[in-house]
Amino acid sequence: MRHHLKHYIRRHEPQGEFHHHLKSGIGAITAMIAVGLLAIYTGLPLLIAPFGASAVLLFGQPKSPLSQPANVVGGYLLAAVIGSIAAHFFPGLWLAGAIGVGLSIGLMLFLRITHPPAGAVPIVAVASHFDAPVLFEVAVLGSVLLVAIAVLHHLIPPRQQYPLRVD
């Protein structure tokens, strides 16, 4: 039994260095403050849970393909389209969120713009009752702001390459 359990409890992520972890946390705080301030300034409900999950990837795993700008912005935009369509045709129906999540994942994978936190946007669309224009504004403004802050953040020493360069 112990032999089988070790596969579930073993940590596969490399240990890393304390100052990198501290910098990642500070970057995420900065990004969430910026999103919150933009929410106050615009009156848009920009502080949605998926953006917190995006901050984990953008500041903690910037070299991941799932953290790249095209994935972040493209994933949110695609999920907002699908979430809006699902909420429009099945308003208030929990099944719309489930179908929207599945369709978003399938299309993100097909288009190679997978960003896991964006997969939650159809649930946000159904649960929050955002109309389509508001959902698009939230998805685009929030994701672009997060990426912009991540680009600047990773220029601060110790630097990390973000976004990844294409050869």
Side-chain angles (χ1 to χ4, degrees), residues 111-166:
L111 296 172
R112 297 183 5 228
I113 55 170
T114 306
H115 184 65
V121 171
I123 294 172
V124 171
V126 171
S128 68
H129 305 290
F130 289 170
D131 59 358
V134 170
L135 187 61
F136 290 122
E137 287 177 295
V138 167
V140 171
L141 280 175
S143 63
V144 167
L145 180 59
L146 288 174
V147 167
I149 291 170
V151 168
L152 295 174
H153 170 81
H154 292 299
L155 292 174
I156 298 169
R159 291 180 176 209
Q160 289 204 41
Q161 187 179 49
Y162 183 82
L164 293 176
R165 303 293 183 244
V166 179

Short mmCIF file of all heavy atoms in Angstrom, two decimals, residues 111-166:
data_model
loop_
_atom_site.label_atom_id
_atom_site.label_comp_id
_atom_site.label_asym_id
_atom_site.label_seq_id
_atom_site.Cartn_x
_atom_site.Cartn_y
_atom_site.Cartn_z
N LEU A 111 -6.54 24.82 -30.53
CA LEU A 111 -5.90 26.05 -31.02
C LEU A 111 -4.53 26.30 -30.40
O LEU A 111 -3.86 27.27 -30.75
CB LEU A 111 -6.82 27.25 -30.76
CG LEU A 111 -8.15 27.23 -31.49
CD1 LEU A 111 -9.06 28.35 -31.01
CD2 LEU A 111 -7.93 27.33 -33.00
N ARG A 112 -4.13 25.44 -29.47
CA ARG A 112 -2.84 25.54 -28.78
C ARG A 112 -2.70 26.85 -28.00
O ARG A 112 -1.66 27.48 -28.00
CB ARG A 112 -1.68 25.35 -29.75
CG ARG A 112 -1.68 23.97 -30.37
CD ARG A 112 -0.53 23.70 -31.30
NE ARG A 112 0.46 24.75 -31.37
CZ ARG A 112 0.95 25.25 -32.50
NH1 ARG A 112 0.57 24.78 -33.64
NH2 ARG A 112 1.85 26.21 -32.48
N ILE A 113 -3.79 27.24 -27.34
CA ILE A 113 -3.79 28.41 -26.46
C ILE A 113 -4.32 28.03 -25.08
O ILE A 113 -5.05 28.78 -24.46
CB ILE A 113 -4.60 29.58 -27.07
CG1 ILE A 113 -6.02 29.15 -27.40
CG2 ILE A 113 -3.89 30.17 -28.27
CD1 ILE A 113 -6.96 30.30 -27.77
N THR A 114 -3.92 26.87 -24.61
CA THR A 114 -4.42 26.37 -23.33
C THR A 114 -3.91 27.21 -22.17
O THR A 114 -2.71 27.42 -22.01
CB THR A 114 -3.98 24.90 -23.13
OG1 THR A 114 -4.39 24.14 -24.27
CG2 THR A 114 -4.60 24.32 -21.88
N HIS A 115 -4.84 27.68 -21.38
CA HIS A 115 -4.54 28.39 -20.13
C HIS A 115 -5.56 27.89 -19.12
O HIS A 115 -6.72 28.33 -19.14
CB HIS A 115 -4.63 29.90 -20.34
CG HIS A 115 -4.23 30.68 -19.13
ND1 HIS A 115 -2.95 30.66 -18.62
CD2 HIS A 115 -4.94 31.49 -18.31
CE1 HIS A 115 -2.89 31.43 -17.55
NE2 HIS A 115 -4.10 31.94 -17.34
N PRO A 116 -5.17 26.95 -18.25
CA PRO A 116 -6.14 26.30 -17.35
C PRO A 116 -7.06 27.24 -16.57
O PRO A 116 -8.27 26.97 -16.49
CB PRO A 116 -5.25 25.48 -16.42
CG PRO A 116 -4.07 25.14 -17.27
CD PRO A 116 -3.83 26.37 -18.11
N PRO A 117 -6.58 28.36 -16.00
CA PRO A 117 -7.52 29.21 -15.27
C PRO A 117 -8.65 29.75 -16.13
O PRO A 117 -9.76 29.99 -15.65
CB PRO A 117 -6.64 30.35 -14.75
CG PRO A 117 -5.27 29.75 -14.66
CD PRO A 117 -5.19 28.82 -15.83
N ALA A 118 -8.39 29.94 -17.43
CA ALA A 118 -9.44 30.44 -18.33
C ALA A 118 -10.58 29.44 -18.46
O ALA A 118 -11.71 29.82 -18.77
CB ALA A 118 -8.86 30.77 -19.70
N GLY A 119 -10.31 28.17 -18.19
CA GLY A 119 -11.36 27.16 -18.26
C GLY A 119 -12.49 27.41 -17.28
O GLY A 119 -13.60 26.89 -17.45
N ALA A 120 -12.26 28.25 -16.28
CA ALA A 120 -13.30 28.57 -15.30
C ALA A 120 -14.22 29.70 -15.75
O ALA A 120 -15.26 29.94 -15.14
CB ALA A 120 -12.66 28.94 -13.97
N VAL A 121 -13.88 30.39 -16.81
CA VAL A 121 -14.66 31.55 -17.26
C VAL A 121 -16.10 31.18 -17.62
O VAL A 121 -17.02 31.94 -17.28
CB VAL A 121 -13.94 32.30 -18.40
CG1 VAL A 121 -14.83 33.35 -19.04
CG2 VAL A 121 -12.66 32.92 -17.87
N PRO A 122 -16.38 30.05 -18.28
CA PRO A 122 -17.79 29.72 -18.52
C PRO A 122 -18.59 29.55 -17.22
O PRO A 122 -19.78 29.91 -17.19
CB PRO A 122 -17.72 28.39 -19.29
CG PRO A 122 -16.41 28.46 -20.00
CD PRO A 122 -15.49 29.14 -19.02
N ILE A 123 -17.96 29.08 -16.17
CA ILE A 123 -18.66 28.99 -14.89
C ILE A 123 -18.92 30.39 -14.35
O ILE A 123 -20.00 30.68 -13.83
CB ILE A 123 -17.86 28.13 -13.88
CG1 ILE A 123 -17.83 26.69 -14.38
CG2 ILE A 123 -18.47 28.22 -12.49
CD1 ILE A 123 -16.92 25.79 -13.58
N VAL A 124 -17.94 31.28 -14.48
CA VAL A 124 -18.12 32.68 -14.09
C VAL A 124 -19.28 33.28 -14.87
O VAL A 124 -20.13 33.98 -14.31
CB VAL A 124 -16.82 33.49 -14.30
CG1 VAL A 124 -17.08 34.98 -14.10
CG2 VAL A 124 -15.72 33.01 -13.36
N ALA A 125 -19.34 33.01 -16.16
CA ALA A 125 -20.40 33.57 -17.02
C ALA A 125 -21.78 33.12 -16.56
O ALA A 125 -22.70 33.94 -16.47
CB ALA A 125 -20.17 33.15 -18.47
N VAL A 126 -21.91 31.86 -16.24
CA VAL A 126 -23.21 31.33 -15.84
C VAL A 126 -23.56 31.76 -14.41
O VAL A 126 -24.68 32.18 -14.13
CB VAL A 126 -23.23 29.78 -15.96
CG1 VAL A 126 -24.48 29.19 -15.36
CG2 VAL A 126 -23.10 29.39 -17.43
N ALA A 127 -22.59 31.69 -13.51
CA ALA A 127 -22.86 31.97 -12.10
C ALA A 127 -23.02 33.47 -11.82
O ALA A 127 -23.75 33.85 -10.91
CB ALA A 127 -21.75 31.40 -11.24
N SER A 128 -22.34 34.30 -12.58
CA SER A 128 -22.36 35.74 -12.29
C SER A 128 -23.43 36.49 -13.06
O SER A 128 -23.76 37.61 -12.73
CB SER A 128 -21.00 36.35 -12.62
OG SER A 128 -20.81 36.33 -14.03
N HIS A 129 -23.91 35.91 -14.12
CA HIS A 129 -24.88 36.55 -15.00
C HIS A 129 -24.33 37.83 -15.65
O HIS A 129 -25.05 38.77 -15.92
CB HIS A 129 -26.19 36.85 -14.26
CG HIS A 129 -26.79 35.65 -13.63
ND1 HIS A 129 -27.35 34.62 -14.37
CD2 HIS A 129 -26.89 35.27 -12.33
CE1 HIS A 129 -27.78 33.68 -13.56
NE2 HIS A 129 -27.51 34.05 -12.32
N PHE A 130 -22.99 37.84 -15.90
CA PHE A 130 -22.40 38.95 -16.67
C PHE A 130 -23.00 38.89 -18.06
O PHE A 130 -23.14 37.81 -18.64
CB PHE A 130 -20.89 38.78 -16.83
CG PHE A 130 -20.07 38.99 -15.59
CD1 PHE A 130 -18.74 38.66 -15.60
CD2 PHE A 130 -20.60 39.52 -14.43
CE1 PHE A 130 -17.94 38.83 -14.47
CE2 PHE A 130 -19.82 39.71 -13.30
CZ PHE A 130 -18.48 39.36 -13.32
N ASP A 131 -23.32 40.04 -18.62
CA ASP A 131 -23.71 40.01 -20.03
C ASP A 131 -22.44 39.90 -20.87
O ASP A 131 -21.33 40.14 -20.38
CB ASP A 131 -24.58 41.20 -20.42
CG ASP A 131 -23.92 42.54 -20.20
OD1 ASP A 131 -22.78 42.58 -19.70
OD2 ASP A 131 -24.54 43.56 -20.54
N ALA A 132 -22.59 39.52 -22.13
CA ALA A 132 -21.43 39.22 -22.97
C ALA A 132 -20.43 40.37 -23.06
O ALA A 132 -19.22 40.14 -22.90
CB ALA A 132 -21.89 38.80 -24.37
N PRO A 133 -20.85 41.62 -23.29
CA PRO A 133 -19.84 42.69 -23.38
C PRO A 133 -19.03 42.85 -22.08
O PRO A 133 -17.82 43.07 -22.14
CB PRO A 133 -20.67 43.96 -23.66
CG PRO A 133 -21.93 43.46 -24.27
CD PRO A 133 -22.19 42.13 -23.63
N VAL A 134 -19.67 42.73 -20.95
CA VAL A 134 -18.95 42.86 -19.68
C VAL A 134 -17.97 41.70 -19.51
O VAL A 134 -16.82 41.90 -19.12
CB VAL A 134 -19.93 42.93 -18.48
CG1 VAL A 134 -19.19 42.82 -17.15
CG2 VAL A 134 -20.73 44.22 -18.53
N LEU A 135 -18.39 40.50 -19.85
CA LEU A 135 -17.51 39.35 -19.73
C LEU A 135 -16.28 39.51 -20.64
O LEU A 135 -15.16 39.21 -20.23
CB LEU A 135 -18.25 38.05 -20.06
CG LEU A 135 -17.48 36.76 -19.81
CD1 LEU A 135 -17.12 36.61 -18.34
CD2 LEU A 135 -18.29 35.56 -20.28
N PHE A 136 -16.47 40.00 -21.86
CA PHE A 136 -15.34 40.24 -22.76
C PHE A 136 -14.40 41.30 -22.22
O PHE A 136 -13.19 41.15 -22.25
CB PHE A 136 -15.81 40.65 -24.16
CG PHE A 136 -16.46 39.53 -24.92
CD1 PHE A 136 -17.75 39.67 -25.39
CD2 PHE A 136 -15.79 38.35 -25.17
CE1 PHE A 136 -18.35 38.64 -26.08
CE2 PHE A 136 -16.39 37.31 -25.86
CZ PHE A 136 -17.67 37.46 -26.31
N GLU A 137 -14.97 42.39 -21.71
CA GLU A 137 -14.13 43.45 -21.14
C GLU A 137 -13.32 42.93 -19.96
O GLU A 137 -12.12 43.21 -19.85
CB GLU A 137 -14.99 44.63 -20.68
CG GLU A 137 -15.55 45.45 -21.82
CD GLU A 137 -16.44 46.56 -21.32
OE1 GLU A 137 -17.50 46.24 -20.73
OE2 GLU A 137 -16.09 47.73 -21.51
N VAL A 138 -13.96 42.18 -19.09
CA VAL A 138 -13.27 41.61 -17.93
C VAL A 138 -12.16 40.68 -18.39
O VAL A 138 -11.02 40.78 -17.93
CB VAL A 138 -14.27 40.88 -17.00
CG1 VAL A 138 -13.55 40.02 -15.98
CG2 VAL A 138 -15.18 41.89 -16.31
N ALA A 139 -12.47 39.78 -19.31
CA ALA A 139 -11.48 38.80 -19.78
C ALA A 139 -10.31 39.47 -20.47
O ALA A 139 -9.15 39.13 -20.19
CB ALA A 139 -12.16 37.79 -20.72
N VAL A 140 -10.58 40.40 -21.36
CA VAL A 140 -9.51 41.04 -22.13
C VAL A 140 -8.70 42.00 -21.26
O VAL A 140 -7.47 41.90 -21.20
CB VAL A 140 -10.07 41.76 -23.38
CG1 VAL A 140 -9.00 42.58 -24.06
CG2 VAL A 140 -10.64 40.73 -24.35
N LEU A 141 -9.36 42.91 -20.57
CA LEU A 141 -8.63 43.88 -19.74
C LEU A 141 -7.81 43.19 -18.66
O LEU A 141 -6.63 43.49 -18.46
CB LEU A 141 -9.60 44.87 -19.09
CG LEU A 141 -10.09 46.01 -19.95
CD1 LEU A 141 -11.13 46.84 -19.20
CD2 LEU A 141 -8.94 46.89 -20.38
N GLY A 142 -8.45 42.25 -17.96
CA GLY A 142 -7.74 41.56 -16.88
C GLY A 142 -6.57 40.75 -17.37
O GLY A 142 -5.48 40.83 -16.80
N SER A 143 -6.76 39.99 -18.43
CA SER A 143 -5.66 39.13 -18.90
C SER A 143 -4.52 39.95 -19.50
O SER A 143 -3.35 39.64 -19.28
CB SER A 143 -6.18 38.09 -19.90
OG SER A 143 -6.71 38.69 -21.06
N VAL A 144 -4.84 41.01 -20.23
CA VAL A 144 -3.79 41.86 -20.80
C VAL A 144 -3.01 42.56 -19.69
O VAL A 144 -1.78 42.64 -19.73
CB VAL A 144 -4.39 42.88 -21.80
CG1 VAL A 144 -3.38 43.96 -22.17
CG2 VAL A 144 -4.87 42.16 -23.06
N LEU A 145 -3.71 43.04 -18.66
CA LEU A 145 -3.04 43.69 -17.54
C LEU A 145 -2.12 42.71 -16.81
O LEU A 145 -0.97 43.04 -16.49
CB LEU A 145 -4.06 44.29 -16.58
CG LEU A 145 -3.49 45.01 -15.35
CD1 LEU A 145 -2.59 46.16 -15.76
CD2 LEU A 145 -4.62 45.49 -14.46
N LEU A 146 -2.60 41.50 -16.56
CA LEU A 146 -1.77 40.50 -15.89
C LEU A 146 -0.51 40.19 -16.70
O LEU A 146 0.59 40.10 -16.15
CB LEU A 146 -2.56 39.22 -15.62
CG LEU A 146 -3.63 39.31 -14.54
CD1 LEU A 146 -4.44 38.01 -14.51
CD2 LEU A 146 -3.02 39.59 -13.19
N VAL A 147 -0.66 40.02 -18.00
CA VAL A 147 0.50 39.73 -18.86
C VAL A 147 1.47 40.92 -18.87
O VAL A 147 2.69 40.72 -18.76
CB VAL A 147 0.05 39.37 -20.29
CG1 VAL A 147 1.23 39.37 -21.26
CG2 VAL A 147 -0.63 38.00 -20.30
N ALA A 148 0.95 42.13 -18.97
CA ALA A 148 1.81 43.31 -18.99
C ALA A 148 2.62 43.43 -17.70
O ALA A 148 3.83 43.70 -17.73
CB ALA A 148 0.98 44.57 -19.22
N ILE A 149 1.98 43.18 -16.59
CA ILE A 149 2.69 43.24 -15.30
C ILE A 149 3.71 42.12 -15.22
O ILE A 149 4.83 42.32 -14.73
CB ILE A 149 1.69 43.22 -14.13
CG1 ILE A 149 0.90 44.53 -14.11
CG2 ILE A 149 2.42 43.00 -12.79
CD1 ILE A 149 -0.26 44.54 -13.17
N ALA A 150 3.37 40.95 -15.71
CA ALA A 150 4.32 39.82 -15.70
C ALA A 150 5.55 40.14 -16.55
O ALA A 150 6.68 39.82 -16.16
CB ALA A 150 3.65 38.54 -16.20
N VAL A 151 5.36 40.77 -17.70
CA VAL A 151 6.49 41.13 -18.57
C VAL A 151 7.43 42.07 -17.81
O VAL A 151 8.64 41.86 -17.78
CB VAL A 151 6.00 41.78 -19.88
CG1 VAL A 151 7.15 42.43 -20.64
CG2 VAL A 151 5.30 40.75 -20.76
N LEU A 152 6.88 43.09 -17.18
CA LEU A 152 7.70 44.04 -16.42
C LEU A 152 8.33 43.37 -15.20
O LEU A 152 9.51 43.60 -14.90
CB LEU A 152 6.85 45.24 -15.98
CG LEU A 152 6.31 46.11 -17.10
CD1 LEU A 152 5.37 47.17 -16.54
CD2 LEU A 152 7.44 46.75 -17.89
N HIS A 153 7.56 42.57 -14.52
CA HIS A 153 8.02 41.88 -13.31
C HIS A 153 9.25 41.01 -13.59
O HIS A 153 10.20 41.00 -12.81
CB HIS A 153 6.88 41.03 -12.75
CG HIS A 153 7.29 40.11 -11.66
ND1 HIS A 153 7.43 40.54 -10.36
CD2 HIS A 153 7.60 38.80 -11.66
CE1 HIS A 153 7.81 39.51 -9.60
NE2 HIS A 153 7.90 38.45 -10.37
N HIS A 154 9.23 40.30 -14.69
CA HIS A 154 10.33 39.38 -14.99
C HIS A 154 11.57 40.08 -15.53
O HIS A 154 12.61 39.44 -15.71
CB HIS A 154 9.85 38.25 -15.90
CG HIS A 154 8.89 37.34 -15.21
ND1 HIS A 154 9.22 36.62 -14.10
CD2 HIS A 154 7.58 37.06 -15.45
CE1 HIS A 154 8.17 35.93 -13.68
NE2 HIS A 154 7.17 36.19 -14.49
N LEU A 155 11.49 41.40 -15.74
CA LEU A 155 12.69 42.18 -16.08
C LEU A 155 13.48 42.58 -14.83
O LEU A 155 14.64 42.96 -14.92
CB LEU A 155 12.29 43.46 -16.84
CG LEU A 155 11.72 43.25 -18.24
CD1 LEU A 155 11.22 44.58 -18.81
CD2 LEU A 155 12.75 42.62 -19.16
N ILE A 156 12.84 42.48 -13.66
CA ILE A 156 13.49 42.83 -12.40
C ILE A 156 14.38 41.67 -11.98
O ILE A 156 13.95 40.51 -11.99
CB ILE A 156 12.43 43.10 -11.31
CG1 ILE A 156 11.55 44.30 -11.71
CG2 ILE A 156 13.10 43.35 -9.95
CD1 ILE A 156 10.32 44.47 -10.84
N PRO A 157 15.61 41.94 -11.58
CA PRO A 157 16.50 40.85 -11.14
C PRO A 157 15.95 40.14 -9.91
O PRO A 157 15.34 40.80 -9.08
CB PRO A 157 17.81 41.56 -10.81
CG PRO A 157 17.78 42.82 -11.63
CD PRO A 157 16.32 43.22 -11.67
N PRO A 158 16.14 38.86 -9.79
CA PRO A 158 16.73 37.96 -10.77
C PRO A 158 15.78 37.77 -11.95
O PRO A 158 14.65 37.35 -11.78
CB PRO A 158 16.94 36.66 -10.00
CG PRO A 158 15.94 36.69 -8.89
CD PRO A 158 15.71 38.14 -8.57
N ARG A 159 16.26 38.11 -13.12
CA ARG A 159 15.44 38.09 -14.33
C ARG A 159 15.09 36.67 -14.76
O ARG A 159 15.86 35.75 -14.57
CB ARG A 159 16.17 38.77 -15.48
CG ARG A 159 16.31 40.24 -15.31
CD ARG A 159 17.03 40.84 -16.48
NE ARG A 159 17.07 42.28 -16.33
CZ ARG A 159 17.11 43.11 -17.33
NH1 ARG A 159 17.16 42.67 -18.58
NH2 ARG A 159 17.13 44.40 -17.12
N GLN A 160 13.90 36.58 -15.34
CA GLN A 160 13.49 35.34 -16.00
C GLN A 160 12.98 35.73 -17.38
O GLN A 160 12.35 36.78 -17.54
CB GLN A 160 12.37 34.65 -15.21
CG GLN A 160 12.86 34.07 -13.92
CD GLN A 160 11.96 32.95 -13.45
OE1 GLN A 160 11.50 32.13 -14.25
NE2 GLN A 160 11.69 32.92 -12.16
N GLN A 161 13.25 34.89 -18.34
CA GLN A 161 12.79 35.18 -19.69
C GLN A 161 11.27 35.01 -19.74
O GLN A 161 10.74 33.93 -19.47
CB GLN A 161 13.46 34.25 -20.69
CG GLN A 161 13.15 34.61 -22.11
CD GLN A 161 13.85 33.68 -23.08
OE1 GLN A 161 13.79 32.48 -22.92
NE2 GLN A 161 14.50 34.26 -24.05
N TYR A 162 10.59 36.09 -20.04
CA TYR A 162 9.14 36.06 -20.23
C TYR A 162 8.79 37.21 -21.15
O TYR A 162 9.18 38.33 -20.90
CB TYR A 162 8.38 36.21 -18.91
CG TYR A 162 6.89 36.11 -19.15
CD1 TYR A 162 6.29 34.87 -19.26
CD2 TYR A 162 6.10 37.23 -19.29
CE1 TYR A 162 4.92 34.76 -19.51
CE2 TYR A 162 4.75 37.14 -19.55
CZ TYR A 162 4.17 35.90 -19.66
OH TYR A 162 2.83 35.80 -19.92
N PRO A 163 8.05 36.92 -22.20
CA PRO A 163 7.64 35.60 -22.66
C PRO A 163 8.79 34.81 -23.26
O PRO A 163 9.85 35.37 -23.52
CB PRO A 163 6.59 35.92 -23.73
CG PRO A 163 6.94 37.28 -24.23
CD PRO A 163 7.59 38.00 -23.08
N LEU A 164 8.56 33.53 -23.45
CA LEU A 164 9.58 32.70 -24.07
C LEU A 164 9.83 33.20 -25.48
O LEU A 164 8.92 33.66 -26.16
CB LEU A 164 9.13 31.23 -24.10
CG LEU A 164 9.02 30.55 -22.74
CD1 LEU A 164 8.46 29.12 -22.91
CD2 LEU A 164 10.32 30.54 -21.99
N ARG A 165 11.04 33.10 -25.93
CA ARG A 165 11.41 33.59 -27.26
C ARG A 165 11.21 32.49 -28.30
O ARG A 165 11.43 31.31 -28.03
CB ARG A 165 12.89 34.02 -27.30
CG ARG A 165 13.23 35.08 -26.28
CD ARG A 165 12.53 36.40 -26.61
NE ARG A 165 12.93 37.42 -25.67
CZ ARG A 165 12.10 38.02 -24.83
NH1 ARG A 165 10.83 37.69 -24.80
NH2 ARG A 165 12.53 38.95 -24.01
N VAL A 166 10.80 32.92 -29.47
CA VAL A 166 10.61 31.99 -30.60
C VAL A 166 11.87 32.03 -31.43
O VAL A 166 12.36 33.10 -31.78
CB VAL A 166 9.39 32.40 -31.45
CG1 VAL A 166 9.23 31.46 -32.63
CG2 VAL A 166 8.14 32.44 -30.61
#
